[in-house]
Amino acid sequence: MQSLPDRPLRIAAIVLLLATGVFTGAQLAKTAPLIGWYVETIGMTLVEAGWVTALIGIFVALAALPAGFAIARMGPQRAFVVASAIIVPGGLILAATTSPGLIFAARMIEGLGYVVLCVGLPSLLTAISPPTWRGPVLAIWSGFVPLGYASSDVLAGLIAPAFGAQTYLLVVILLFAALALASNVVLRWLTGVPADAAPVPAGASGVFSVSIVLVALAFGAFVLQSVALFTFMPTFASVPGALLFAPALVALSTPIGNALAGVLVAGRTARFMMVLGIAAFGVTAAAAYFAFVSGGAFAASWGAVTMAVASGVVASVLFAAIPFLVARPQAVPAAIGLVSQAGGLATLASPPLAAFIIERAGWTGYGWFLALTGLAGGAILLPLIAAGRRRAP
């Protein structure tokens, strides 16, 4: 890492923002362990409880790109403060109420803050990180959703049985609030923040370039594949003798890929990142074949874990490459918004599409769907090998 006068403070800010990102992901995930509680105690139908969990994701699918342009005008640090000020009241209302109407209203408030954080936090991390740090930092950031799911699951298991579901919800939002506040305090102490952290006129330059559009399409393919994998892994595991271990271990393998990619992309060009992404997509395709087509619990178990790790690598390299593919640094927030929106749309499409394939072609057809999606993602990135020669200064 390069020499900086405020290096310890800058590292502290990055670590706090990454931790805040994990608990941003936890806001998305925190209602999933409570679906039974919403049905049995609150009196919702199963469909309504499902919408409580899915509602935030709809905001990302519909508004991530506009949020990116807004953050480019506002500046990522100011956007972080505003989004935190929106999501915390929503979380407090959610923890305090048992009224279905207020629960949906609270989730809509949280969704508004969440979509800004999804784009604003990586934009802010890019702005405060020296160029040689940006690839690894964004690679680690990209694991915020699986880590958020893991954190919420652990906290739900520890708190909800002993102290109740509402106490668990309160703890999750208060942990986010504490981390966001600490991050903001440290950010205010930083000096020499790069100029691209400042508000600038928003524009499409560098956002709708061929390179960024291809990254967005590849990210959509990644999300289509990975959401399908994790959504139906518990269903697959319910087949007698299908897996050697709990399906949760598959999802928890993803951050290994994020960490691995963070190490591999440090100081490398976007071209290297694209080659790594293509290779990782190829691994997901091969792993999907072994997991669901070839047969056998051993192949299925380790194929699924390998696929999850490789998926973590794919997500990391796609986010890490964004600052090196935009035409100007100020376009990073909007570019992240475009990539995130592609992922949001794929998140909505993936479960019903995978379910249709499973119903029509069984688990073998599902495996081929995952494999072909991985191959398609790798093919999308091929033109970027020639376009991605820029190295961090």
Side-chain angles (χ1 to χ4, degrees):
M1 289 184 178
Q2 66 193 75
S3 176
L4 292 169
D6 58 355
R7 176 174 161 177
L9 199 60
R10 197 170 295 269
I11 292 173
I14 291 169
V15 170
L16 282 169
L17 286 171
L18 289 171
T20 305
V22 170
F23 276 90
T24 299
Q27 306 315 308
L28 170 68
K30 65 186 178 183
T31 57
L34 300 182
I35 286 179
W37 180 75
Y38 283 120
V39 172
E40 296 166 10
T41 304
I42 304 299
M44 291 183 175
T45 66
L46 187 59
V47 172
E48 289 171 337
W51 276 107
V52 170
T53 297
L55 196 57
I56 284 183
I58 294 174
F59 277 81
V60 178
L62 297 179
L65 179 57
F69 282 114
I71 290 164
R73 287 187 178 276
M74 187 186 303
Q77 185 168 350
R78 189 178 303 165
F80 172 55
V81 174
V82 171
S84 300
I86 293 171
I87 202 170
V88 170
L92 293 175
I93 294 170
L94 184 69
T97 187
T98 56
S99 163
L102 285 176
I103 288 170
F104 278 103
R107 286 300 267 175
M108 291 182 71
I109 295 170
E110 287 187 311
L112 182 60
Y114 179 84
V115 70
V116 177
L117 286 167
C118 278
V119 180
L121 270 172
S123 302
L124 183 53
L125 285 164
T126 300
I128 69 169
S129 299
T132 52
W133 301 12
R134 289 175 182 171
V137 167
L138 288 178
I140 296 169
W141 151 263
S142 67
F144 81 103
V145 169
L147 287 172
Y149 267 93
S151 299
S152 64
D153 287 345
V154 169
L155 288 172
L158 292 174
I159 298 171
F163 302 101
Q166 290 176 280
T167 301
Y168 151 71
L169 291 171
L170 180 62
V171 169
V172 174
I173 192 62
L174 289 180
L175 285 171
F176 168 84
L179 287 166
L181 179 61
S183 299
N184 191 53
V185 169
V186 174
L187 285 169
R188 291 180 180 277
W189 290 342
L190 277 179
T191 58
V193 175
D196 57 355
V200 296
S205 175
V207 178
F208 296 109
S209 67
V210 172
S211 296
I212 294 300
V213 170
L214 288 175
V215 169
L217 291 173
F219 189 72
F222 152 75
V223 172
L224 195 68
Q225 182 194 56
S226 61
V227 168
L229 172 69
F230 297 130
T231 299
F232 291 98
M233 184 55 63
T235 307
F236 178 71
S238 67
V239 177
L243 286 180
L244 299 176
F245 39 69
L249 291 177
V250 177
L252 290 175
S253 302
T254 306
I256 298 173
N258 302 132
L260 176 62
V263 173
L264 293 175
V265 304
R268 307 305 293 263
T269 62
R271 182 183 185 182
F272 173 85
M273 297 176 197
M274 294 302 98
V275 171
L276 181 59
I278 291 167
F281 263 129
V283 172
T284 68
Y289 174 83
F290 284 106
F292 301 103
V293 179
S294 66
F298 182 85
S301 301
W302 293 109
V305 167
T306 302
M307 188 176 174
V309 173
S311 295
V313 174
V314 169
S316 294
V317 298
L318 292 177
F319 269 94
I322 290 172
F324 304 103
L325 295 174
V326 292
R328 54 194 177 98
Q330 294 87 349
V332 167
I336 291 174
L338 178 63
V339 172
S340 298
Q341 186 145 350
L345 291 170
T347 298
L348 294 181
S350 181
L353 177 59
F356 174 80
I357 291 170
I358 293 168
E359 285 182 349
R360 294 298 181 92
W363 293 111
T364 298
Y366 171 74
W368 282 117
F369 162 67
L370 296 177
L372 292 174
T373 304
L375 293 176
I380 290 168
L381 293 180
L382 282 172
L384 292 178
I385 294 177
R389 291 190 171 92
R390 289 171 55 196
R391 181 184 296 272

